Structure formats: C-alpha cells, structure tokens
Amino acid sequence: MNYQSTRNAAQIADSVHAVLEGLAPDGGLYIINDLPALGFDWRSTLNMTTMEMASAILKTLLPDFEGMDELVERAYRGRFSTDELTPLVRVGDRYVLELFHGPTSAFKDVALSMLPQLIMQARKQTGMTDEIVILTATSGDTGKAALAGFCDVPGTRIIVFYPENGVSRVQKTQMVTQSGKNVTVCGIRGNFDDAQTGVKNAFSACADGTLLAGKGARLSSANSINIGRLAPQVVYYFKAYAELVRQGRIEAGEPVDYVVPTGNFGDILAGYFAKLLGLPVGRLVCASNRNDVLTEFLQTGVYDRRREFYRTCSPSMDILVSSNLERLLYLLCGDCAEVAGYMEKLRTDGVYRVSDRMLARLHEEFWPGCCDDAATLDTIGRVWRETGYLMDTHTAVAWRVAEAYETACRGAEEYETACRGEHRSPATLRCPSAGEQCSPLQPPVVVLSTASPYKFPAAVLSALGENPPEDEFAAMERLHELTGAPVPPNLAGLRQQPVRHSDVIEKEEILNYVLEKVDS
Ligand SMILES: *Cc1c(COP(=O)(O)O)cnc(C)c1O
C-alpha cells in the first residue's frame, strides 16, 4: 500500500488499484510519499537498454504489478520507430531529447503505450469483470495517443473529449478518423480547461457508484492524473542521463539540467520523480507559452487562474489549471491538509498563495520561463538556419526558455521574457546559480522535444518565412519539400482516412453523454 491521496494520508491504495482508479476517491491524486526511501539504485540503469530501464523503474514505482518485463515489451517493442524509444540528439551546445517517435508522433505515446498494458494487467490481477471506461480530456495530443493505445484492447472502452476549436487540424483529423470498436471521440464547445473540468465532474458524479450501478462499467482516466501515465515518463530522464554519460559529456553523478515544455505539469513532475529516485537532475526548467500561470506561480508562489486564456501556436500547453502541480505541492510539504487547503481555495476563489517555506523549496528545484508566439516562431526559424535542426512549436518554447535560463545563469543584465512584452531582470527571475560564478563547464542542458514538427506544419512553415497554405495537409507537404525532413508515416496517410466521429456537445453535457455511451 505505498500510494496515498495528496489530500488525505489515510486514503491509501496499492499501485494496481491506484492505476485502476485514476483519481483517489477524495478527489486527490495518488502519490508515493517517500520516493527516496525506495532506495532505487540509479547507477545500475546507466548500462541498460531503454526497455530494461523502463522495467527497472516501473517495477520500483509500481511494485504490485506482475510480469512487468512482459508488459514493457508489449507496450514498446516494434511500436516506436526506434528501440531506443527516445533518442538524444545534439543540437548546437544543447541536447534535444526526442520524445515523439511513437505511433502518433507525440511524446504522450511514451506513457499511453504503457498505460493500457497496466490497466489490462490490473484488471486481471484484481479479477475485475467490469469494463474499464477511460475518460480523457485532451488539448490535442493525449486524445490520439490514448485512442491508439486503447483501440480494441479487450475489457476497455475509451471516450475522448477535445475542445472543438482548440486543437490543430492535424490533431483533430488524427482523432476523428480513429477506428476501433471501443472508441468514441467528441468535441466540446469550450477550451481545454472546460473539457478537463467536465471530465473531472463526471468522475465526481460517478464516484459513489450509484450512477453506474448495474451497468458493468467503471470509470478510469488516461490523463496524467493517473499514476500509470506518469511513471513511464520517468524513464526518459534516465535515458538522456545515461546517454550523456556514455558519450563522455559528464561523469556519472554530475548534474544535468532539463528544460520541459509544460502544460499539465506531468512531464516535468516525472523529472522530479527521477530526481527523488536519485538521478542527478540539476534544475528543472519549466517552460510555458503566453499562458504563463506557472511562470508567475514559480516566481511568486501565487497561483492565479483568473486570467485570460490565450490560444497559442503551442496548443498542447494552453492550460490554466495544471492538475499535476498538486502532486508537487504534496511532495514539497508532505502535508495533506495544506494541499487540500490550496486546492479548495483554487476551486472557490480561483487563486491561492503557497507558504514561504514552499516557495523557497520551489525556487530550489525549478526555474520558470515563458515566451509568446512571436518568440516561438523566431526560435524555430533561427535554430533551423543556424543548425539545420527542425523543431515543433512546443519544443521551440522550451528552447527559447533554455536560452533565457542560460543567459540568466551567466548573469546578463537583463533579458526579455517576451511573455507580455515586458522586460524582467534576472533578479526577479532567480538565477540558477545565484551568487556563483558560471563557467563554460555548466551542466549540459537537455531540451525535451514533445512533438514532431509535422504535427504543427502551418506554424512551422510560417516560422521558416513561408506563407502556409490554408490546408494543413498541403502545409505538411510543403514543409517536407522545403526541409527534406521525413514525414512520419502515421501523419502522411492521415488525409485519406474516413471521418468516423462527428459529435460536438456543450461542456455541461459531458456526464450525460458518458452515461449514454456506457448504456449503449
Ligand atoms: C501534453 C504536451 C505537453 C505538455 O506536457 P504536460 O505533461 O501536460 O506538462 C507539451 N507538448 C506537447 C506536444 C504535448 O502534447
């Protein structure tokens, strides 16, 4: 029973049940409260293959699952374009960790290839006969990756809700063309937060079991609130580290900084898990787009969702409420009542301020930065011209913030965050090694790359100085002509696929929609 709710230490579960349930019954998130106590031997991972690393780490984080080696094999073998899964590429003075070589060209494939295997196994181990109904709110990439992962997996059904006008044409086409007997895709009139809130409300409404009584169905989640989503993401932090050791860039034990394009805070939190498991992670740099709620929070300790929601060219990061932050708050204070208090304030007032102690801890571990669309596109163009490396918009946000991080580290007078066109001095942004002399022997900086540039071809084309054609698929072809970078096969064949899902509903209708589908 090593999992507990972030809101109540008495609400416990073993890892199998934590994965099956997704959200804890009290609305909190499942967490291991003392990861360092697991005594994970991180050095032993350095000479492992990615697949072996995945097994070792998942056995540690999810110890109640039987046959983990087999589950990892089934999740990944032959499903990614490389058995390395997540290759590390050197670009200029930095490293890019490419997380998009899975079946849908999104980093979420890393976790969503594994989660269905975990759910199948959990169902088996608990002798469950109910169908598991996966409810997912998506800002674009999760939806398709989850659909691909769960498609025709026996004993499961998946329902994906996406903001109707909040995802790219390619993302939408990927979802609405999904085949499979157990899949449903539905648009929401609203933004991603509306979709996510609607899904959370559906979970709450069904929590006591009366609404689903006698239907032979149980709800679960494929969002990163599910610990089975987070755990597989810890692996690539180890993989990047091992690669840097292998290449002789660092000695085992030296720190590495990771820059993470952040939305729901799942990806970057996995990096913090890696650190708690012993991996020498230096700073975790949290990169946001113009929706800079996390930048402000990590600077000031005030989380204020009462702000305008912007649609940006990095839509998978257009988020005002980052669910996984709750897990971080718990890990930093270890006090359920404190966390529950913040979450209650967020719900009722839309804002909370963390304690000074918590803020100091946040400053030790994280460095925040953000950039707007103009800076994002400028970065894609500049990196392409200077290095010949083509990146997508989300990766470009992280790259830009990596530059800001290094500039601040070197103690430049001032730099532009470009978020709101304001200039902020490093003093207000926390220098990564305040007071220390920075030398060329800075820790290596690994920028996590979360999507193929072909998932956002229009934005990437305009970043390269071209007027993108109206049609996103034409943009894909043009981008290929211009750069010669290969189009991932799953995207190239998309246009010919028939549309299979056309439902669009109001956000208030999510619960009823789910109940109807479960009945059908
Ligand atoms: C989901 C996603 C992110 C954000 O990851 P979180 O774990 O939600 O912080 C960033 N980039 C892309 C392309 C994504 O799909």
Side-chain angles (χ1 to χ4, degrees):
M1 290 293 170
N2 57 352
Y3 280 85
Q4 63 160 80
S5 165
T6 46
R7 300 188 193 174
N8 177 1
Q11 186 77 61
I12 56 172
D14 67 17
S15 51
V16 164
H17 286 89
V19 166
L20 272 184
E21 287 168 31
L23 202 64
D26 62 358
L29 306 182
Y30 281 119
I31 187 88
I32 295 182
N33 81 357
D34 195 355
L35 284 164
L38 298 177
F40 184 66
D41 178 10
W42 68 270
R43 282 176 193 270
S44 72
T45 62
L46 293 176
N47 295 314
M48 293 179 176
T49 65
T50 316
M51 235 79 87
E52 289 165 347
M53 269 183 212
S55 272
I57 291 165
L58 290 172
K59 281 177 196 167
T60 303
L61 291 174
L62 305 170
D64 310 289
F65 283 82
E66 293 158 13
M68 189 61 87
D69 296 344
E70 173 71 28
L71 298 179
V72 166
E73 280 290 314
R74 267 193 268 153
Y76 294 125
R77 185 73 69 196
R79 300 196 69 213
F80 279 58
S81 63
T82 157
D83 276 348
E84 259 196 295
L85 305 184
T86 53
L88 187 72
V89 179
R90 183 165 182 164
V91 181
D93 293 336
R94 303 192 182 90
Y95 296 84
V96 174
L97 180 59
E98 294 187 343
L99 305 177
F100 54 79
H101 293 282
T104 77
S105 304
F107 104 91
K108 290 181 175 71
D109 288 327
V110 177
L112 284 164
S113 301
M114 194 63 220
L115 183 67
Q117 302 300 328
L118 295 173
I119 289 187
M120 278 289 75
Q121 180 65 19
R123 218 169 149 260
K124 199 160 123 196
Q125 280 182 223
T126 57
M128 178 182 288
T129 52
D130 283 351
E131 183 179 62
I132 304 280
V133 180
I134 303 293
L135 294 192
T136 295
T138 184
S139 55
D141 285 357
T142 307
K144 179 60 181 186
L147 290 163
F150 282 97
C151 168
D152 291 333
V153 170
T156 70
R157 176 195 289 266
I158 175 163
I159 309 177
V160 170
F161 296 99
Y162 67 94
E164 194 200 3
N165 295 314
V167 300
S168 80
R169 166 119 189 266
V170 171
Q171 287 176 317
K172 185 167 167 175
T173 308
Q174 278 189 304
M175 289 189 278
V176 299
T177 57
Q178 176 68 45
S179 63
K181 288 196 200 64
N182 62 340
V183 306
T184 302
V185 178
C186 180
I188 296 298
R189 295 192 192 94
N191 61 32
F192 170 67
D193 285 308
D194 295 325
Q196 179 158 259
T197 305
V199 165
K200 277 189 176 173
N201 290 344
F203 274 114
S204 309
C206 296
D208 69 0
T210 42
L211 281 176
L212 292 174
K215 295 188 200 289
R218 290 181 51 152
L219 300 188
S220 191
S221 165
N223 278 79
S224 54
I225 55 174
N226 192 315
I227 194 67
R229 258 291 293 280
L230 272 185
Q233 299 185 24
V234 176
V235 179
Y236 45 73
Y237 286 89
F238 283 82
K239 151 79 187 166
Y241 192 91
E243 192 59 30
L244 289 168
V245 173
R246 207 183 54 76
Q247 293 178 8
R249 174 63 178 81
I250 53 167
E251 300 275 351
E254 290 175 3
V256 172
D257 294 332
Y258 294 83
V259 186
V260 188
T262 297
N264 226 351
F265 213 78
D267 198 3
I268 194 168
L269 185 70
Y272 190 57
F273 282 10
K275 188 169 189 174
L276 292 176
L277 288 177
L279 190 73
V281 173
R283 268 304 149 80
L284 288 162
V285 178
C286 177
S288 302
N289 62 27
R290 193 178 176 201
N291 294 294
D292 61 352
V293 61
L294 283 169
T295 312
E296 183 178 282
F297 172 68
L298 292 170
Q299 283 172 12
T300 65
V302 177
Y303 196 101
D304 191 349
R305 65 167 298 177
R306 301 165 305 172
R307 62 178 67 219
E308 201 171 327
F309 176 87
Y310 297 108
R311 289 215 187 111
T312 73
C313 66
S314 45
S316 297
M317 296 154 69
D318 291 347
I319 287 181
L320 294 183
V321 178
S322 296
S323 309
N324 268 299
L325 195 59
E326 177 170 348
R327 283 195 168 101
L328 177 68
L329 298 180
Y330 176 78
L331 289 171
L332 293 180
C333 74
D335 181 342
C336 294
E338 185 175 334
V339 174
Y342 297 143
M343 292 304 116
E344 184 58 18
K345 285 216 64 168
L346 183 64
R347 199 177 64 80
T348 54
D349 306 347
V351 57
Y352 62 89
R353 174 192 291 275
V354 297
S355 70
D356 289 348
R357 208 175 116 250
M358 174 92 79
L359 182 59
R361 288 287 293 121
L362 287 169
H363 283 172
E364 272 167 43
E365 305 286 358
F366 294 89
W367 194 92
C370 56
C371 79
D372 64 9
D373 278 357
T376 306
L377 298 182
D378 169 74
T379 302
I380 294 172
R382 192 162 40 80
V383 174
W384 168 250
R385 287 189 302 274
E386 288 172 4
T387 70
Y389 187 79
L390 189 66
M391 54 177 63
D392 96 295
T393 48
H394 303 76
T395 310
V397 168
W399 185 277
R400 180 70 165 214
V401 171
E403 291 173 340
Y405 172 69
E406 289 174 23
T407 305
C409 174
R410 294 190 197 106
E413 295 281 276
E414 181 185 39
Y415 76 91
E416 192 182 355
T417 66
C419 258
R420 294 165 175 157
E422 284 170 29
H423 290 262
R424 295 182 193 169
S425 73
T428 62
L429 272 166
R430 265 198 67 80
C431 179
S433 45
E436 275 171 44
Q437 198 57 40
C438 293
S439 72
L441 295 174
Q442 287 296 319
V445 171
V446 173
V447 174
L448 274 62
S449 175
T450 48
S452 157
Y454 286 104
K455 290 204 80 170
F456 306 94
V460 174
L461 259 188
S462 66
L464 301 186
E466 290 245 333
N467 248 339
E470 187 81 10
D471 178 74
E472 243 188 38
F473 289 100
M476 227 186 247
E477 276 163 29
R478 178 70 194 123
L479 187 59
H480 176 61
E481 274 169 27
L482 196 67
T483 65
V487 186
N490 77 83
L491 295 176
L494 204 54
R495 206 208 301 238
Q496 287 74 42
Q497 302 283 319
V499 171
R500 299 166 197 267
H501 307 272
S502 51
D503 288 355
V504 178
I505 63 173
E506 301 298 329
K507 60 190 176 189
E508 293 79 15
E509 294 167 355
I510 289 181
L511 174 62
N512 281 337
Y513 187 86
V514 170
L515 293 175
E516 259 171 46
K517 289 289 162 190
V518 167
D519 262 338
S520 67

